[in-house]
Amino acid sequence: GTIWELAAGASQITTLWSFSGGNGGAIPFTGIVPDASGNLWGTTLGSGSDLATVFKFAPSTGTFTTVGVLASGGNSISTLATDASGILAVSGGNIFGSSFTGGTGSAGFLFTLSATATPGTAISALTNGSFSAGTISGFQPMGSLLMLQDQAASNVLVGMTSLGGSLSVGTLFEAVVAGSTATITQLASFAGTNGGRPLGTLLATNTGAGQYTLLGV
């Protein structure tokens, strides 16, 4: 896979970075997100000997860093958590993400990682941050991940799962994050008639006082 750009006024796509496989990661399945300084952050799915990773790319210098490597059999097909405006969410110096596989139940997990971690740091699940197959809260998270603040000003991760819920076709979930612990609960289930197995962008409109309207596909 590559990181690429189409410059203003140009008609040719330029490769900014080619993934190298191995520790450099491979198969960037979901989108990149910018931080407040204009760096681009993302995840790779990995395959075989090519590791699933969290990466950072600085367009201004062309510098690529494998910030973290997903442990516990993780493979991420979700973006790193952003705030409601689409900027990388950083809380206490940490960033947040989710893995489609791995964790204590082998059904995916939520993780956190220092934004300035030593390159190649092993990433594992938040305490109580593993999903379990067959549960009402859902499992195998994919697509966008948001970090919002609830009415108690607590950090809450909001995302989508591809399985689980009342009809096992996916859910919207939330996870209240306190330090290195996450508490996962269901917000709503998909039911087939209103969609199922969501994979895509999740948007949040702040309606005030720690409440949001969520939109997705």
Side-chain angles (χ1 to χ4, degrees):
T2 66
I3 300 171
W4 54 266
E5 74 170 3
L6 180 65
S11 60
Q12 298 293 323
I13 292 171
T14 300
T15 299
L16 299 179
W17 185 261
S18 293
F19 290 89
S20 61
N23 293 343
I27 314 176
F29 194 87
T30 53
I32 48 178
V33 298
D35 65 19
S37 300
N39 300 304
L40 305 177
W41 294 72
T43 60
T44 64
L45 176 64
S47 177
S49 62
D50 299 328
L51 300 180
T53 64
V54 170
F55 66 84
K56 173 185 177 182
F57 179 75
S60 60
T61 61
T63 303
F64 180 93
T65 306
T66 298
V67 180
V69 175
L70 283 162
S72 305
N75 294 98
S76 183
I77 53 177
S78 300
T79 62
L80 295 171
T82 67
D83 61 22
S85 68
I87 300 298
L88 181 75
V90 182
S91 178
N94 296 321
I95 60 176
F96 300 84
S98 66
S99 174
F100 181 75
T101 56
T104 58
S106 298
F109 60 89
L110 300 171
F111 64 81
T112 187
L113 174 70
S114 171
T116 57
T118 301
T121 295
I123 306 169
S124 55
L126 285 161
T127 303
N128 297 330
S130 291
F131 295 88
S132 296
T135 56
I136 196 70
S137 58
F139 60 102
Q140 292 189 339
M142 55 201 306
S144 289
L145 185 65
L146 301 175
M147 174 166 275
L148 309 174
Q149 284 200 318
D150 65 12
Q151 292 170 310
S154 298
N155 287 327
V156 180
L157 293 172
V158 178
M160 303 173 287
T161 68
S162 60
L163 291 172
S166 59
L167 291 178
S168 197
V169 291
T171 67
L172 289 170
F173 71 86
E174 69 174 4
V176 178
V177 177
S180 60
T181 299
T183 304
I184 302 171
T185 57
Q186 184 202 113
L187 285 172
S189 274
F190 289 93
T193 53
N194 63 2
R197 303 204 72 176
L199 171 62
T201 302
L202 184 63
L203 303 177
T205 300
N206 191 338
T207 57
Q211 296 185 326
Y212 300 83
T213 295
L214 301 175
L215 303 98
V217 293

